[in-house]
Amino acid sequence: MCRMGDVLAGNHAVWEFDSDSVLIRFTRGIRTPRLLHALGSRRIPLEAVSAVSVTETGGKRDAVVLRVQPRPGADPLTEAAAGQLKDACDPYRLVLPGDRAPLAAAFADALRSRLGPDADEPSERFLVDVPQPPPVHLKAYDARVSFDGSAITFHWSRTGATGTKWKAGDQRYPLAALTGVEWCSPEGPGGHLRLVLRDTAGDPRPDHDLSSAVFGTGYGAVHESLPFAAAVLAALRSRTPVAAVPRARSGDDRLRHLSELHTAGLLTDAEYAALRDRFAAESL
């Protein structure tokens, strides 16, 4: 049986169970992913948790994986990541030796027993803090990006920026001009950070878009660019929070609620589509 204060140590992290949260401390080691190094530690309120699972990894390695599923809209880091993180960098995933499976199961059961009635619902506000201290500078391939808490500024690189950006000059965007942030991992093709503007669509090509910064080899690494994107997203949501919506009583109300969360940027396209289809099926 898992009790308050119990600790579970696995690869790259130690989880501590509390009455209303899980404290995750990421270990510092040469094999620890740099993103987890950058996160340091995170306290996950139980109201931010949607589900908990325990699975075996299979194969030659005898191991078990304990994973917490955050509620959509609860964590700015996972909202910005939008499912692009590799398993090794997933801050909600703990790998344990196979002989600790009973402990992992007890830990999972204890968490499930404390989940509230809204665990399956999207969160209307961020419940998990951004990494501290929040990053305020990001070096991309074609720009230096800075965030002072109220606006984001792009300082174009003479050697990396396209002529479109260089001729336009440095750009400054106050939070009031934004509706969201798009982060595309530098570990895949087309990595970039894009600010979603309220009144302008922008150029779909990140290297020509004046509200985008392009990543590249040695520029915009995950452990630097993702926390930066999360910090901007959290600041944006605190400035323009989603309006409180009463607990939905009908299928139409629930779908309208989802649409508002999606429009506000608290749900990714994939999360919105999955929840929309589920609610539509439940109303039949």
Side-chain angles (χ1 to χ4, degrees), residues 164-258:
T164 300
K165 292 183 174 181
W166 186 252
K167 292 177 182 178
D170 294 346
Q171 302 291 308
R172 184 177 186 274
Y173 298 96
L175 290 177
L178 311 180
T179 61
V181 180
E182 175 185 283
W183 179 79
C184 188
S185 175
E187 295 183 344
H192 65 270
L193 174 75
R194 185 194 303 273
L195 305 179
V196 183
L197 304 183
R198 187 175 300 279
D199 301 317
T200 307
D203 195 308
R205 300 168 297 175
D207 57 339
H208 286 75
D209 183 21
L210 299 182
S211 60
S212 297
V214 176
F215 302 148
T217 303
Y219 298 93
V222 172
H223 71 281
E224 297 172 339
S225 60
L226 180 56
F228 185 93
V232 174
L233 186 59
L236 177 61
R237 292 300 168 259
S238 65
R239 182 183 179 90
T240 56
V242 179
V245 178
R247 190 171 178 83
R249 295 184 179 181
S250 70
D252 289 343
D253 288 340
R254 299 175 84 184
L255 291 174
R256 189 179 303 111
H257 185 193
L258 283 180

